[in-house]
Amino acid sequence: MRSTDSYFCIDDFVAGARRYLPRMMFDFAAGAVFDDVTFRRNRSAFQRYILKQRVLVDISTRDIGIDLFGKRRDLPLIIAPTGPAGMVRYKGEVALARQAAATGIPFTLSSASSTPLEEVARDGGGDCWFQLYVSPDLPRSYEVVRRAETAGYEALVLTVDSNFGHARERDLKNGLTIPYGLNRRNAFDLLSHPGWLTTTVLPYLMRGGIPGFPNFATARDDQGNERFLKFPGFNWSHLDELRSAWPRKLILKGILTPEDARRAADAGADAIIVSNHGGNVFDAAPATLDALPTIVEAVGDRMTVIVDGGVRRGSDVVTAMALGADAVMIGRATLLALAAAGEPGVKCALDILRGEIDHTLAMIGQPELARVDDSIVSRAPA
């Protein structure tokens, strides 16, 4: 078991992940698009809010759990879909799912993951959600949806803000290719990280080779080659068919305006995730925390509202809940913990956030997380 003795906050895992991963994989996991403006905006938004500290309140017992979709969750967290999980650690998706189950929270598997969704559900256990990127080959995309249903996934998370493919500058400079491969740009970088090669890459090579994308319906490009292609034509008119095809919870991820939130509710979605993809798709998007209050006002009484983006501290989680979120998604926090220290790192990251959420509740004099509201939060002085 890898030691986690040197990790005391989520940001500590960033340095550990940087040491372990080749630059190509670290930038893919930790970086964002273009100038990182949206990425930084997500983080700085939390610093614009303060929580009101209250004293002489009986806080001898505290409850940091929530009810989500009719189930008790021990923490207000959901592990977000992160495509590189299986390439930062061997079968990393299973490790994330297993620790989510042990913690009593849902895990969301990306359709860009490296491990078959059936294997993740079987070996990870717990409540698994499946995130869907829609391919131009719609029938094959629906085959993946049926696989997720058969495998027992609790919710389908449709990503709606990334139907248009793009190449990130860092990935081009680092020689990252999809599917993953060795080339003149990345060869020295990869070979300079023997720990990653022996513990992540070698186990795949010994079992048949570097994995592709077993949970994504690839499509043929103009040259007839199978590619990881997204469907830019997918729109609101397709949602009725998807809603009919999926009998469980349907969640739209990537909502940033009240108008789109209302359309999602009208289309029969059970929940939305206020998300800008962690700054990975559009560098002029608002911070999700800034977008959250008006969206909650528009649809909070009609559907579940989840938020992600920039969460690094337990106080961030409490702030988001106070502004109306029903739950909070975390992605990079657990992905980088996985890279830095394997599955024990994921457990450590979740334990850190648990402790910080509990500490925040104590400091604001609120014994129950479910009872926080906007009366405890205000804008920080300029």
Side-chain angles (χ1 to χ4, degrees):
M1 177 171 295
R2 299 173 183 88
S3 173
T4 56
D5 292 346
S6 59
Y7 300 106
F8 302 98
C9 67
I10 296 302
D11 281 346
D12 286 345
F13 292 107
V14 178
R18 192 188 300 272
R19 287 191 298 270
Y20 174 73
L21 294 174
R23 181 172 182 175
M24 176 186 83
M25 291 308 305
F26 177 79
D27 283 353
F28 190 36
V33 71
F34 299 125
D35 299 315
D36 290 352
V37 174
T38 300
F39 174 84
R40 295 195 306 270
R41 190 173 284 149
N42 277 347
R43 185 73 204 112
S44 64
F46 285 101
Q47 298 165 7
R48 293 197 297 272
Y49 290 91
I50 58 175
L51 297 173
K52 297 177 183 178
Q53 186 173 350
R54 302 299 302 272
V55 299
L56 295 180
V57 178
D58 183 357
I59 51 170
S60 54
T61 60
R62 295 165 306 283
D63 181 359
I64 61 174
I66 60 169
D67 291 321
L68 182 65
F69 296 142
K71 289 187 178 181
R72 172 70 178 179
R73 317 288 180 164
D74 294 339
L75 284 175
L77 301 176
I78 303 152
I79 294 184
T82 48
M87 289 304 295
V88 303
R89 290 284 178 178
Y90 177 69
K91 293 193 182 295
E93 302 93 347
V94 175
L96 288 167
R98 196 155 43 217
Q99 285 306 310
T103 307
I105 62 174
F107 163 73
T108 315
L109 179 69
S110 170
S111 57
S113 58
S114 304
T115 305
L117 63 88
E118 294 85 358
E119 182 178 343
V120 175
R122 183 191 69 228
D123 297 344
D127 291 328
C128 290
W129 299 1
F130 181 72
Q131 177 269 332
L132 177 69
Y133 285 124
V134 178
S135 158
D137 192 334
L138 279 176
R140 291 177 67 184
S141 292
Y142 281 107
E143 287 178 15
V144 175
V145 171
R146 286 189 288 273
R147 284 174 53 201
E149 180 186 356
T150 301
Y153 280 73
E154 180 184 78
L156 182 69
V157 179
L158 173 68
T159 293
V160 296
D161 65 351
S162 185
N163 294 334
F164 185 77
H166 68 283
R168 304 192 313 176
E169 293 158 359
R170 285 187 184 87
D171 298 340
L172 295 173
K173 292 175 181 177
N174 293 335
L176 177 71
T177 60
I178 301 296
Y180 306 109
L182 187 71
N183 56 60
R184 65 179 181 84
R185 285 187 177 272
N186 65 29
F188 180 77
D189 179 33
L190 301 186
L191 295 174
S192 299
H193 290 79
W196 176 76
L197 287 172
T198 56
T199 59
T200 296
V201 176
L202 184 59
Y204 286 125
L205 295 178
M206 294 174 64
R207 293 166 176 81
I210 299 298
F213 301 99
N215 306 313
F216 182 81
T218 55
R220 295 191 181 278
D221 62 15
D222 294 339
Q223 288 75 45
N225 300 312
E226 288 282 332
R227 298 295 186 199
F228 189 104
L229 300 177
K230 298 175 184 177
F231 181 27
F234 195 84
N235 58 69
W236 291 104
S237 66
H238 293 94
L239 276 185
D240 286 342
E241 184 179 2
L242 184 61
R243 176 69 280 183
S244 299
W246 180 259
R248 300 173 190 146
K249 299 299 182 184
L250 176 63
I251 304 170
L252 303 193
K253 180 178 183 290
I255 301 295
L256 286 171
T257 66
E259 295 81 5
D260 283 344
R262 292 189 191 98
R263 293 199 70 170
D266 293 342
D270 299 286
I272 56 172
I273 301 169
V274 180
S275 174
N276 54 31
H277 219 105
N280 270 323
V281 295
F282 186 44
D283 209 22
T288 51
L289 197 68
D290 290 337
L292 177 63
T294 57
I295 290 175
V296 170
E297 183 180 3
V299 299
D301 59 345
R302 299 178 63 189
M303 64 197 317
T304 297
V305 178
I306 302 164
V307 69
D308 71 8
V311 175
R312 291 293 183 274
R313 291 285 186 182
S315 57
D316 300 338
V317 176
V318 176
T319 299
M321 301 281 289
L323 292 174
D326 295 300
V328 176
M329 259 191 167
I330 53 172
R332 287 186 177 94
T334 44
L335 179 64
L336 296 177
L338 174 70
E343 188 169 338
V346 181
K347 180 183 185 304
C348 181
L350 292 171
D351 286 344
I352 287 170
L353 289 171
R354 182 201 304 276
E356 291 180 353
I357 294 168
D358 186 53
H359 175 263
T360 302
L361 279 192
M363 296 308 295
I364 64 174
Q366 177 53 264
E368 295 181 43
L369 179 63
R371 293 178 60 186
V372 301
D373 57 29
D374 60 5
S375 67
I376 68 158
V377 66
S378 62
R379 285 276 184 165

